[in-house]
Amino acid sequence: MSLDLDIQYVKGVGPKRAKLFKKLGIDTVKDLIFYFPRDYEDRSEIVKIEDLIVGEKQTFKAYIAGSAREVKTSRVVITKIPVKDGTGAVELVWYNQPYMKNNFKIGEEYIISGKLQFKYGQLVVENPVLEKSEEDLNLNTGRIVPVYGLTEGLTQNILRKVIFNALSEYLDEVEEFFEEEFLREKGLMNLKEALLNIHFPKDEEKLARAKYRLKYQELFLLQLALFLVKKSVKEKRGIRFRKVDIKPFVSNLPFKLTSAQMKVLKEIILDMASDKVMNRLIQGDVGSGKTIVAAFAMYIAAKNGYQVAMMAPTEILAKQHYKTLEEIFKGTDIRIGLLSGSLSPSGRKEVLKKIEKGEYDVVVGTHALIEEDVSFKNLGLCITDEQHRFGVRQRALLAQKGENPDVLVMTATPIPRTLALILYGDLDISIIDQLPPGRKRVKTYVIPSSMRKKAYEFAIKEVKKGRQVYVVCPLIEESDKIKAASAEIVYREIYKDAFKEARVGLLHGKMSDSDKERIMEAFVRGEIDILVSTTVIEVGVNVPNATVMIVENAERFGLAQLHQLRGRVGRSEFQSYCILINYSPSETAKKRLEVLARTSDGFKIAEEDLTIRGPGEFLGEKQHGLPEFKIANLFEDIDILKRVQKDVESLLEEDPKLERHPKLRQVLISEFYDRVKDIILN
Ligand code: ADP
Ligand code: MG
């Protein structure tokens, strides 16, 4: 099919340019047509020269009114060309582009875009964008102009021309896959028109409708694929775990499960007892006690003769889980192994052998678990902790180490349902919405930077009582542009003056893993009193003796991220404190931070963040596992996503196998083959 034609055969490309296009990820005609502009410039309004406004970017039509003049100084060659339109005159100016003087013929008419300035005692446009005026075919001026992501050797003009050529020749071959009636009902522009207008919009309204159609389609296909995968997984036969006697396990626990933990545990037990594969996400705020719930599931699997793998995003966390589980399973016969990246080659070999022989019932590890040479005897349950740090693929890779094992993923990031359906649309969701009793609420204060010193004095007092302190900073290095407190600066400061009495450690993302670990372990052992760090400590670390968290430049963090950070303290019987230092004078910033002082409910905080700053913030920049979109944006297109989810749900209700939507089914197979092949192909 010619949509799959190699890009080099498109008019205006050729083998040499094709290489450059390939750098942009454009291999075929189809890729080219779906290479959407990253922005637009409105050059549609053509202004008379007499109406041009100095200082503004505008577009006008004018003819070359005289020959080029050159001014040479020791450093620069200035080329000037006069143009006129009958209402006035302007000079076009280029610097160090002497060849420009040969490019123009007197009398030729051009459409010219650029910023009008008053310079050299006259009206000039420097480095204008211009194009011969040819009535129907102006791609760079006189219209809303697309702006594409480029690579060296390609220009906007080349991309516009080539994409225009591709559209002229091949657009007809793009097929609409929504039914006519569906388009009408949902008010969607048809695909061809949308593709044409996304590149070369007729007007603002058409552009908006084209964007809507393409975003809708992108979200729709992904959501549909996810729901179909979920349905197929539900139909897939998995392990039916027998009921086991949990007394030896429970009698060992120092506490009773909360009712929220019980509720979620029951859901898990039902899943495990059924012959369908479990694919469940446990969402629970920091400290809500997800680990123990996971441990129950481990116990059931192990007692059924299966192995369990638990994957954590960092070495520190994996080790911590390993220790916790050893404690929890004391008095039972569960054998636990740890597979971490820091094992010696021979140590690693040893562990791998034991995993393969089934001599471990539970194996805790990092990404090391999904490496190729790890194989299990009979993996029956996979658990991923802090799922938001992993991608969907990694979760799948772990599960592939067994034969349809049950899968449990855990996250402390509270995600509203709409987003959860696209991030975890293939999972069932359980929520632990309650903290264990007796937890002291972390006292949270928002203070202006002028009170910073007081905060540190307070921290020192706590250190003298034997407690430990976290100081979190947004950046690691000094930067002129951003005046945020960097971990390194704060570290030096604390180190040299206020806190001679305390032992201070520094931890940041640019340190090697082993250095990070060394510092973290020293903190865990209580050999460091004040740990200054970037957000690398955000995930799951447990140091109950730490009771103070100071966050520098708190205004730079998302609320949910701050909430996660705060979860590092308040893990013991001691009263804990979270001090948010706000450097922003803005009232909104202060208000936003005060949400944290008011509530400790992660979901509420997430929703506040959603309304105040949009959904990007609580996911944070570093989130993995987010699907990549060509045009849709989860942070802006929440409303479209909501509509899409309703539409997908009702479509699947009416036509669960897409029998009445053959073209849609076809597209889904070609776009999401790997994920949906099992479902719709047979
Ligand atoms: P998270 O959900 O953040 O992973 P953890 O599983 O690490 O939380 O649990 C936090 C702490 O709470 C642990 O020290 C754990 O032993 C304790 N804990 C868990 N469940 C209970 C409970 N029902 N009662 C009392 N303490 C609990
Ligand atoms: Mg945890």
Side-chain angles (χ1 to χ4, degrees):
M1 216 172 64
S2 33
L3 285 176
D4 296 324
L5 195 69
D6 192 290
I7 176 87
Q8 70 164 306
Y9 303 112
V10 175
K11 205 168 124 203
V13 183
K16 233 163 125 196
R17 269 192 190 158
K19 287 206 184 101
L20 301 176
F21 277 92
K22 282 174 188 177
K23 270 196 206 161
L24 294 174
I26 303 171
D27 295 319
T28 64
V29 168
K30 187 174 173 206
D31 295 339
L32 191 60
I33 291 178
F34 281 82
Y35 190 71
F36 300 142
R38 63 170 165 71
D39 204 358
Y40 299 86
E41 244 180 65
D42 191 347
R43 299 181 190 156
S44 57
E45 202 190 338
I46 296 190
V47 181
K48 288 193 200 115
I49 288 184
E50 66 177 356
D51 294 331
L52 288 175
I53 299 167
V54 174
E56 279 189 18
K57 265 192 171 176
Q58 296 147 103
T59 300
F60 58 98
K61 220 185 234 185
Y63 61 89
I64 307 294
S67 45
R69 283 178 298 123
E70 228 170 42
V71 182
K72 287 188 186 158
T73 74
S74 59
R75 277 183 299 145
V76 69
V77 183
I78 306 174
T79 308
K80 296 185 188 178
I81 292 174
V83 297
K84 285 186 182 164
D85 76 345
T87 72
V90 171
E91 298 260 324
L92 307 181
V93 177
W94 287 271
Y95 299 97
N96 287 335
Q97 298 180 50
Y99 48 86
M100 276 295 175
K101 67 172 179 276
N102 305 320
N103 280 357
F104 303 97
K105 279 205 196 97
I106 294 177
E108 267 175 351
E109 191 175 46
Y110 281 85
I111 299 180
I112 302 161
S113 288
K115 191 158 101 181
L116 188 72
Q117 288 176 294
F118 194 73
K119 256 192 178 173
Y120 316 112
Q122 59 196 156
L123 290 172
V124 303
V125 175
E126 292 175 328
N127 301 312
V129 175
L130 75 177
E131 203 172 30
K132 255 192 213 154
S133 168
E134 289 169 25
E135 293 309 315
D136 56 334
L137 189 67
N138 282 106
L139 299 180
N140 300 302
T141 52
R143 55 157 55 248
I144 300 174
V145 176
V147 179
Y148 297 97
L150 297 177
T151 187
E152 208 183 316
L154 291 178
T155 63
Q156 293 297 348
N157 290 14
I158 295 173
L159 254 99
R160 285 175 198 141
K161 190 88 200 154
V162 166
I163 287 176
F164 185 84
N165 291 343
L167 286 170
S168 319
E169 194 143 346
Y170 303 103
L171 185 61
D172 264 351
E173 294 179 33
V174 175
E175 263 192 275
E176 179 59 70
F177 53 86
F178 285 130
E179 304 298 319
E180 195 63 46
E181 194 188 318
F182 187 90
L183 289 177
R184 217 172 20 231
E185 221 172 81
K186 310 297 175 201
L188 295 171
M189 188 181 246
N190 81 51
L191 183 53
K192 272 179 208 159
E193 199 181 349
L195 288 170
L196 196 59
N197 277 283
I198 201 74
H199 291 290
F200 298 103
K202 265 234 147 62
D203 52 46
E204 288 290 346
E205 193 233 317
K206 284 246 155 92
L207 175 59
R209 293 198 55 210
K211 275 188 188 163
Y212 181 80
R213 150 76 206 225
L214 294 166
K215 286 175 173 194
Y216 183 98
Q217 144 179 355
E218 192 167 37
L219 293 168
F220 189 96
L221 290 175
L222 178 63
Q223 190 68 77
L224 183 59
L226 283 170
F227 283 169
L228 284 170
V229 170
K230 180 165 166 175
K231 244 176 44 171
S232 81
V233 170
K234 285 207 159 145
E235 283 154 16
K236 202 152 84 181
R237 301 226 157 233
I239 305 158
R240 185 200 290 268
F241 292 95
R242 279 175 295 105
K243 253 189 153 164
V244 303
D245 177 16
I246 52 172
K247 272 202 209 88
F249 174 56
V250 176
S251 63
N252 200 25
L253 290 180
F255 48 73
K256 266 180 58 190
L257 292 188
T258 63
S259 57
Q261 284 171 316
M262 283 303 292
K263 177 191 72 190
V264 170
L265 183 58
K266 273 187 196 147
E267 288 168 345
I268 293 171
I269 289 174
L270 276 180
D271 278 357
M272 290 181 77
S274 101
D275 62 355
K276 308 273 161 51
V277 166
M278 167 168 75
N279 237 336
R280 188 168 286 279
L281 170 74
I282 307 179
Q283 276 194 57
D285 216 336
V286 269
S288 61
K290 294 184 288 293
T291 318
I292 191 71
V293 172
F296 261 95
M298 291 179 184
Y299 190 77
I300 295 170
K303 282 293 162 190
N304 271 270
Y306 285 95
Q307 287 174 296
V308 181
M310 182 185 207
M311 184 161 69
T314 65
E315 292 262 320
I316 299 168
L317 255 191
K319 276 194 188 146
Q320 199 174 284
H321 277 316
Y322 174 73
K323 277 191 208 141
T324 309
L325 291 172
E326 271 195 323
E327 196 61 34
I328 292 177
F329 288 125
K330 218 169 19 189
T332 73
D333 53 3
I334 307 290
R335 298 157 302 173
I336 311 171
L338 174 67
L339 183 68
S340 74
S342 57
L343 286 171
S344 68
S346 65
R348 180 182 154 83
K349 236 187 193 161
E350 193 62 28
V351 172
L352 289 186
K353 207 153 76 192
K354 285 187 155 183
I355 298 176
E356 192 159 3
K357 284 192 173 158
E359 289 169 17
Y360 289 133
D361 304 300
V362 174
V363 185
V364 183
T366 55
H367 296 83
L369 282 172
I370 51 178
E371 271 161 38
E372 220 165 298
D373 57 351
V374 182
S375 59
F376 289 80
K377 185 163 174 236
N378 58 346
L379 181 61
L381 173 65
C382 296
I383 302 177
T384 319
D385 193 21
E386 309 295 351
Q387 170 62 38
H388 66 285
R389 290 284 168 126
F390 294 103
V392 177
R393 218 178 82 82
Q394 289 164 313
R395 193 209 309 155
L397 280 176
L398 185 61
Q400 275 164 23
K401 304 257 175 200
E403 248 176 75
N404 296 343
D406 277 359
V407 171
L408 206 53
V409 303
M410 308 197 284
T411 180
T413 311
I415 300 167
R417 190 184 127 85
T418 311
L419 278 182
L421 284 183
I422 202 92
L423 292 175
Y424 305 116
D426 55 337
L427 303 175
D428 291 314
I429 298 177
S430 293
I431 300 175
I432 306 182
D433 50 6
Q434 180 185 24
L435 294 183
R439 280 290 160 75
K440 284 211 178 91
R441 208 170 138 160
V442 178
K443 289 193 178 161
T444 302
Y445 304 93
V446 181
I447 62 166
S449 53
S450 57
M451 282 172 66
R452 183 167 180 253
K453 204 157 169 235
K454 282 236 161 64
Y456 284 96
E457 281 164 13
F458 174 77
I460 272 296
K461 255 197 217 147
E462 284 286 302
V463 168
K464 284 186 173 155
K465 284 195 218 157
R467 303 285 84 76
Q468 287 163 283
V469 175
Y470 292 104
V471 177
V472 177
C473 310
L475 290 172
I476 7 163
E477 279 160 44
E478 290 184 57
S479 150
D480 304 326
K481 277 188 232 136
I482 310 163
K483 283 219 185 81
S486 82
E488 249 166 78
I489 301 174
V490 172
Y491 173 75
R492 270 182 256 142
E493 234 173 64
I494 297 179
Y495 204 80
K496 71 173 189 281
D497 29 278
F499 309 118
K500 297 219 172 71
E501 303 128 288
R503 294 162 297 174
V504 183
L506 172 67
L507 189 70
H508 61 70
K510 285 198 183 156
M511 291 163 67
S512 72
D513 282 351
S514 61
D515 281 350
K516 266 191 260 182
E517 213 154 307
R518 198 170 40 74
I519 297 282
M520 202 55 226
E521 271 163 11
F523 190 65
V524 172
R525 284 196 300 269
E527 292 161 14
I528 290 175
D529 303 311
I530 300 180
L531 182 65
V532 180
S533 82
T534 54
T535 53
V536 288
I537 57 135
E538 159 195 2
V539 167
V541 187
N542 193 23
V543 182
N545 190 47
T547 56
V548 181
M549 156 123 342
I550 296 177
V551 183
E552 293 274 357
N553 291 95
E555 75 281 1
R556 299 184 152 263
F557 294 88
L559 289 188
Q561 199 183 7
L562 288 170
H563 178 64
Q564 293 263 345
L565 286 167
R566 176 168 65 176
R568 300 305 109 220
V569 295
R571 305 193 142 234
S572 65
E573 70 273 22
F574 306 117
Q575 177 61 54
S576 289
Y577 306 88
C578 175
I579 304 173
L580 305 171
I581 308 183
N582 173 24
Y583 285 71
S584 164
S586 114
E587 197 53 33
T588 338
K590 185 163 160 249
K591 264 210 191 117
R592 195 172 68 86
L593 290 174
E594 275 167 356
V595 171
L596 281 164
R598 261 201 324 273
T599 176
S600 52
D601 177 336
F603 276 90
K604 253 195 211 139
I605 290 167
E607 250 146 51
E608 289 269 357
D609 230 7
L610 195 61
T611 46
I612 301 176
R613 294 215 294 185
E617 297 306 328
F618 63 83
L619 289 174
E621 316 143 21
K622 274 187 314 198
Q623 293 300 326
H624 297 302
L626 278 176
E628 266 191 42
F629 293 107
K630 268 186 170 14
I631 184 163
N633 179 340
L634 285 186
F635 306 151
E636 291 165 3
D637 300 328
I638 276 296
D639 290 337
I640 305 181
L641 181 58
K642 279 186 188 158
R643 233 166 291 161
V644 160
Q645 285 167 349
K646 269 212 333 247
D647 295 350
V648 171
E649 272 165 359
S650 62
L651 176 80
L652 282 178
E653 227 161 77
E654 282 165 29
D655 187 11
K657 295 222 150 113
L658 303 183
E659 281 155 349
R660 274 176 286 130
H661 296 81
K663 279 184 270 175
L664 181 58
R665 188 165 163 270
Q666 193 52 46
V667 166
L668 209 59
I669 292 170
S670 66
E671 306 262 315
F672 293 92
Y673 181 76
D674 286 336
R675 283 159 117 176
V676 296
K677 62 179 175 210
D678 301 338
I679 327 154
I680 21 190
L681 284 189
N682 52 41

